[in-house]
Amino acid sequence: MAAYNVQRLVRHRVNFIIPQKQMFIPDLLIDLKPHKNNIGGGEETQIPAIAQCIILYHLEVKSLEGKGTYDIADLFNVSYANVNRAVRWLKDKEVIALSGGKTKSMIFQFKKRELWDRMLPFLANPIERIVYTDSLPDEVFCISGVNALSEYSMLNKGKNDTYAIAKEEVRRLQIRTDKEYGETRIEIWRYNPCFFSKKRHCGQIVFISGHEGYG
């Protein structure tokens, strides 16, 4: 049920039940809603996109030990609020500790292999959606999918060029996309995949998105 319909029913004191969501029976003074899931001590079990970005960058690119919230915000070009939420999530999962006064720094609680094993159950597919286009701008994007794998193996390239791009970049570049048709396949990621690129080939950034979708 849409939120505005719920508000309308509540305003007019109309009895209703939304299974597993809400029970509102004002004549019996009942207004029940589920509590937030606090499994593991955190506000949520789904890892925030920037928290996953922090973990993968720390493991694969460069140590973030001792970095503060503002350092992370500058590094990934995201808001302080998003980074603060991600850092709190990692702290609640006991992956990091925070040290210092007003400006706190991250202290990772595990070595790299242990950190990977601990975070693996939480990692989410970074691809938010897949679209197609015939009008890709002349900019450097991250090669992804089968075409990225072909750079590291004997695997042949796919029929379509495939690139990974952050959703903010799609809006900034105003790329015209279609859900089904187009010469170029675009994976729209929850965070910028090019933060993890290590190799450039023919002027393009090469990036592999694994079968499990962890990036």
Side-chain angles (χ1 to χ4, degrees):
M1 184 182 295
Y4 65 86
N5 276 333
V6 172
Q7 294 173 5
R8 183 171 58 84
L9 294 176
V10 170
R11 187 168 58 250
H12 292 285
R13 297 179 61 81
V14 176
N15 299 339
F16 67 88
I17 296 176
I18 304 175
Q20 301 181 3
K21 293 290 184 181
Q22 187 173 356
M23 177 187 291
F24 182 73
I25 308 176
D27 292 341
L28 299 179
L29 302 180
I30 294 176
D31 184 10
L32 300 178
K33 300 176 184 178
H35 292 288
K36 289 184 177 180
N37 190 345
N38 287 321
I39 295 174
E43 294 180 353
E44 54 182 320
T45 55
Q46 174 67 45
I47 185 171
I50 297 303
Q52 181 160 315
C53 199
I54 289 171
I55 294 298
L56 294 179
Y57 191 93
H58 176 75
L59 289 172
E60 299 295 332
V61 182
K62 187 177 180 180
S63 173
L64 295 177
E65 185 79 14
K67 296 295 184 181
T69 307
Y70 287 105
D71 297 325
I72 300 298
D74 290 340
L75 176 63
F76 296 128
N77 194 27
V78 294
S79 69
Y80 173 83
N82 280 341
V83 175
N84 191 45
R85 174 171 164 261
V87 168
R88 287 202 318 269
W89 190 93
L90 292 171
K91 182 178 182 297
D92 289 339
K93 292 295 180 288
E94 300 179 349
V95 174
I96 64 170
L98 298 176
S99 66
K102 186 176 180 180
T103 304
K104 297 186 180 299
S105 302
M106 296 189 303
I107 306 298
F108 286 85
Q109 301 297 290
F110 304 95
K111 300 296 184 182
K112 288 191 173 183
R113 183 68 223 187
E114 294 175 295
L115 178 61
W116 170 256
D117 290 338
R118 187 173 181 86
M119 293 306 304
L120 190 57
F122 297 103
L123 298 183
N125 191 332
I127 302 173
E128 190 172 272
R129 66 186 187 278
I130 295 175
V131 295
Y132 298 84
T133 185
D134 289 327
S135 57
L136 194 67
D138 187 20
E139 295 207 15
V140 177
F141 293 122
C142 299
I143 300 174
S144 187
V146 173
N147 289 352
L149 290 171
S150 70
E151 299 291 337
Y152 293 88
S153 68
M154 301 276 297
L155 193 67
N156 291 329
K157 289 186 176 181
K159 180 180 178 181
N160 299 90
D161 289 335
T162 302
Y163 298 98
I165 184 173
K167 56 185 178 182
E168 293 81 8
E169 289 296 294
V170 176
R171 291 193 290 265
R172 181 181 68 84
L173 297 170
Q174 298 182 340
I175 301 173
R176 292 185 177 182
T177 62
D178 187 273
K179 292 182 180 180
E180 298 182 45
Y181 303 105
E183 294 182 357
T184 303
R185 180 176 182 267
I186 300 179
E187 297 175 352
I188 299 178
W189 281 43
R190 298 164 63 218
Y191 47 81
N192 193 334
C194 293
F195 287 131
F196 312 103
S197 63
K198 293 183 178 180
K199 177 183 176 182
R200 293 175 183 267
H201 181 75
C202 297
Q204 301 290 335
I205 298 174
V206 175
F207 185 83
I208 296 177
S209 57
H211 291 292
E212 297 298 326
Y214 301 135

